[in-house]
């Protein structure tokens, strides 16, 4: 997010992962990573003035000085994977069964009226009659703001995160009008959206999923799915609603964090969307918000794990709470920069000093309250953004990045280090003026002022990108796990009794019905959002449950005790249970 209105355009540079269908799910091919800041051929010569991404998003948004909106990245990718039972520790499987899953998790967040993943920046044609000045990207939705204060959104709307007043359509493939007016800017969390407006008494509005109080309305709208069930769900809020505690305040800045690393949020069973197992233990989404009022006071609310709210504790906050550090003589100046990553928050306070709190490094203790990042003392920070676990800063005539990275998103080049625990200059951009930055889950974007550096920009690599049909042509079965799965299954199947085959064939028709794109996508969200509350959110629970499951399962890994101690006669297997994974044809 920038500390000034970016009206001057420049050259957009990109670094990080371009394998959109695999990022965050499985390890992509190294050649799909742009490890140095690279120009994009469709945007050569285009004056880009604003870029947007999110620490949970795998898509990009760019705006030019004419008000055109470009989007590219993940949009709608059905993933087909084959896993051996040894790779799926928490599922009830026969030891000789493979699991084939086809799961669709992306929801048309590019706004082109389809579900095609795009590797090249493409103008959103239905917004061409508007001048777009601001944008934000969530996990699977996008929100934009026009110069006359209107807001449009597209993508996934299951939890009402588009703010259109209803959630009748779970997916909106084209831009739809949000139920807000006089909008200045917007920010997106994983499954919720925040708008800042000039409406008196309603300067900040929220809509979407309220699970951890991230909407700021003093409740999470929790309820039991059935009277006799302990399974919890959260009532969506599809209509933007003002935060009551800010009724007399004027909010000027807002940032949303979206995801958290390692949790017990997903409870795996035989209905679990298994194609997401590559990332299920490292990519879970939690929500929180950071806002600044006109007096320079900082407020945070939502998910409190790792101390990312800055209140010296990990408690969730269902309503905005003022951060004590930024009071008295240390309030934020008007030009302050505010940023929220997956597990941390940051802002610049008096004298331009950068403060960070939450999980700042992948190792070491968490920072439960804001602490100055002394490595950047003395720098004039103009803009900053945070991705999954990495950060980009535009300061003076340099670009600085640091954090944990795997796809070249720090931009250090092919001979540079992959990650950095301390802020480090991006050497190839040294001496260039950075207008704006944006960080996604595994990518980064930088806008460079072309003044006096056009010759240096011409020497940078240019990425052509793939055509839409080429992006979707990458088969998932090429991954090492997919290649080994049939061999393992064949070896195990040969060692088993023929008596089991008959029972598996009897259940095959039921399996065909259970494994479908829409059902598993819905089940993924229910498993993520409809779990019982536990104490100590954000740490430790997943590891304990996983260890207990493995210890008690024995040979049938992940099998519940009732399955291991079955009283069925030998050679007879019950076929009455639905949802058993479909067998692989031998």
């Amino acid at each position: 997010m920038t500390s000034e209105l970016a009206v001057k355009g420049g050259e957009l540079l990109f670094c990080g992962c371009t394998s959109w269908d695999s990022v965050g799910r499985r390890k992509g091919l190294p050649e799909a990573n742009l490890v140095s800041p690279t120009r994009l051929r469709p945007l050569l010569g285009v004056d880009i003035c604003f870029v947007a991404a999110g620490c949970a998003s795998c898509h990009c948004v760019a705006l030019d000085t004419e008000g055109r909106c470009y989007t590219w990245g993940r949009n709608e990718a059905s993933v087909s994977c084959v896993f051996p039972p040894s790779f799926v520790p928490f599922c009830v499987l026969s030891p000789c069964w493979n699991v084939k899953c086809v799961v669709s998790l992306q929801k048309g967040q590019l706004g082109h009226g389809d579900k095609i993943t795009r590797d090249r920046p493409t103008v959103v044609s239905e917004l061409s009659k508007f001048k777009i000045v601001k944008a934000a990207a969530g996990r699977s939705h996008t929100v934009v703001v026009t110069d006359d204060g209107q807001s449009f959104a597209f993508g996934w709307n299951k939890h009402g995160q588009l703010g259109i007043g209803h959630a009748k359509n779970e997916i909106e493939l084209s831009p739809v009008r949000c139920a807000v007016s006089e909008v200045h800017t917007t920010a997106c969390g994983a499954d919720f959206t925040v708008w800042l407006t000039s409406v008196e008494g309603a300067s900040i509005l929220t809509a979407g999923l309220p699970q951890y109080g991230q909407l700021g309305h003093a409740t999470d709208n929790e309820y039991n799915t059935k009277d006799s069930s302990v399974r919890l769900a959260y009532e969506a809020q599809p209509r933007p609603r003002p935060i009551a505690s800010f009724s007399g305040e004027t909010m000027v800045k807002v940032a949303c964090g979206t995801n958290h690393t390692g949790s017990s949020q997903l409870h795996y069973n035989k209905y679990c969307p298994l194609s997401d197992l590559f990332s299920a233990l490292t990519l879970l989404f939690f929500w929180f918000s950071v806002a600044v009022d006109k007096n320079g006071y900082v407020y945070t609310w939502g998910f409190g794990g790792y101390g990312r709210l800055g209140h010296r504790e990990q408690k969730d906050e269902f309503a905005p709470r003022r951060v004590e550090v930024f009071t008295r003589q240390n309030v934020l100046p008007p030009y302050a920069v505010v940023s929220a990553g997956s597990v941390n928050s940051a802002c610049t306070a008096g004298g331009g000093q950068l403060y960070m709190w939450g999980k700042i490094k992948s190792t070491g203790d968490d920072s439960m309250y804001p602490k100055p990042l002394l490595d950047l003392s003395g720098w004039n920070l103009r803009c900053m953004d945070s991705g999954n676990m990495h950060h980009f800063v535009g300061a003076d005539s340099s670009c600085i990045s640091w954090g944990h990275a795997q796809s070249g998103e720090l931009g250090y080049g092919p001979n540079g280090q992959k990650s950095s625990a301390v802020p480090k200059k991006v050497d190839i951009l040294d001496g260039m003026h950075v207008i704006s930055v944006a960080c996604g889950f595994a990518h980064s974007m930088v806008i460079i002022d072309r003044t006096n550096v056009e010759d240096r920009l011409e020497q940078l690599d240019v990425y052509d990108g793939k055509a839409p049909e080429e992006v979707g042509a990458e088969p998932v079965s090429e991954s090492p796990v997919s290649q080994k799965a049939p061999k393992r299954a064949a070896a195990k199947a040969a060692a088993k009794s023929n008596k089991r085959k008959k029972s598996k064939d009897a259940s095959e028709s039921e399996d065909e019905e259970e494994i479908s794109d829409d059902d598993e996508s819905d089940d993924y969200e229910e498993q993520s959002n409809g779990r019982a509350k536990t104490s100590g959110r954000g740490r430790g629970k997943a590891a304990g449950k996983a260890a207990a499951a493995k210890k008690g399962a024995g040979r049938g890994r992940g099998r519940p005790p009732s399955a291991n101690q079955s009283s069925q006669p030998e050679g007879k297997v019950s076929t009455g249970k639905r949802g058993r994974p479909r067998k692989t044809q031998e």
Side-chain angles (χ1 to χ4, degrees), residues 444-521:
S444 306
M445 294 181 287
V446 183
I447 302 177
I448 299 295
D449 187 352
R450 295 190 183 93
T451 305
N452 300 325
V453 295
E454 289 189 4
D455 293 341
R456 292 179 59 189
L457 290 174
E458 290 292 334
Q459 298 174 8
L460 299 180
D461 294 335
V462 177
Y463 180 66
D464 293 317
K466 301 177 182 177
E469 59 272 11
E470 295 174 341
V471 176
E474 181 183 356
V476 179
S477 58
E478 293 180 1
S479 64
V481 174
S482 303
Q483 292 175 349
K484 294 179 181 179
K487 297 181 180 180
R488 292 182 184 176
K492 290 185 178 182
K496 296 298 175 181
S497 170
N498 291 331
K499 294 181 181 181
R500 287 195 172 188
K501 295 182 179 179
K502 186 175 181 180
S503 63
K504 288 185 290 181
D505 292 337
S507 63
E508 182 175 350
S509 61
E510 294 181 351
D511 304 331
E512 181 75 23
E513 178 184 354
E514 291 296 330
I515 302 179
S516 65
D517 292 359
D518 295 336
D519 291 346
E520 295 208 2
S521 178

Side-chain angles (χ1 to χ4, degrees), residues 14-20 22-23 28 32-34 407-409 442-444:
F14 180 98
C15 57
C17 184
T18 61
S19 182
W20 303 109
S22 65
V23 59
N33 299 331
L34 302 178
S407 305
E409 54 263 44
H443 64 275
S444 306

Side-chain angles (χ1 to χ4, degrees), residues 393-579:
V393 168
D396 295 329
S397 295
S398 299
C399 188
I400 302 169
S401 64
W402 73 98
H404 178 73
Q406 296 181 335
S407 305
E409 54 263 44
L410 297 184
Y412 293 151
N415 299 321
Q417 58 195 83
K418 304 301 180 184
S419 298
S420 176
V422 297
K424 183 175 179 291
K425 280 186 179 181
V426 181
D427 293 335
I428 198 172
L429 301 181
D430 192 29
M432 298 186 182
H433 181 83
V434 177
I435 297 176
S436 182
V437 296
C439 296
F441 178 78
H443 64 275
S444 306
M445 294 181 287
V446 183
I447 302 177
I448 299 295
D449 187 352
R450 295 190 183 93
T451 305
N452 300 325
V453 295
E454 289 189 4
D455 293 341
R456 292 179 59 189
L457 290 174
E458 290 292 334
Q459 298 174 8
L460 299 180
D461 294 335
V462 177
Y463 180 66
D464 293 317
K466 301 177 182 177
E469 59 272 11
E470 295 174 341
V471 176
E474 181 183 356
V476 179
S477 58
E478 293 180 1
S479 64
V481 174
S482 303
Q483 292 175 349
K484 294 179 181 179
K487 297 181 180 180
R488 292 182 184 176
K492 290 185 178 182
K496 296 298 175 181
S497 170
N498 291 331
K499 294 181 181 181
R500 287 195 172 188
K501 295 182 179 179
K502 186 175 181 180
S503 63
K504 288 185 290 181
D505 292 337
S507 63
E508 182 175 350
S509 61
E510 294 181 351
D511 304 331
E512 181 75 23
E513 178 184 354
E514 291 296 330
I515 302 179
S516 65
D517 292 359
D518 295 336
D519 291 346
E520 295 208 2
S521 178
D522 292 344
D523 187 70
Y524 174 83
E525 291 304 320
E526 291 174 1
Q527 296 290 349
S528 296
N529 303 325
R531 55 100 171 175
K533 283 188 176 180
T534 59
S535 61
R537 292 184 180 99
R539 304 193 192 197
K541 295 293 181 182
K545 291 185 179 180
K550 290 185 178 181
K551 183 176 180 180
R555 183 181 176 191
R557 188 181 300 176
R559 185 174 299 172
S562 58
N564 293 334
Q565 301 173 6
S566 174
S567 59
Q568 294 276 353
E570 185 178 358
K572 295 184 179 181
V573 181
S574 173
T575 60
K577 293 183 179 180
R578 296 176 62 84

Side-chain angles (χ1 to χ4, degrees), residues 323-373:
V323 180
E324 295 179 357
V325 173
F326 303 110
T327 55
R328 300 183 182 89
Q329 303 301 319
N330 199 32
V331 296
L332 271 63
Y335 54 83
V337 173
V338 179
S339 176
S342 61
V343 290
N344 50 59
S345 306
C347 69
T348 56
Q353 175 63 55
L354 179 65
Y355 286 77
M356 296 191 71
W357 60 98
K359 192 172 185 62
I360 300 175
K361 298 180 180 179
S362 56
T363 59
D365 296 335
D366 308 327
S367 179
M368 306 300 292
Y369 60 93
K371 296 180 182 178
L373 189 63

Side-chain angles (χ1 to χ4, degrees), residues 17-38:
C17 184
T18 61
S19 182
W20 303 109
D21 289 345
S22 65
V23 59
R25 293 171 173 170
R26 63 187 187 279
K27 189 173 182 180
L29 299 176
E31 52 267 28
N33 299 331
L34 302 178
V35 297
S36 297
T38 304

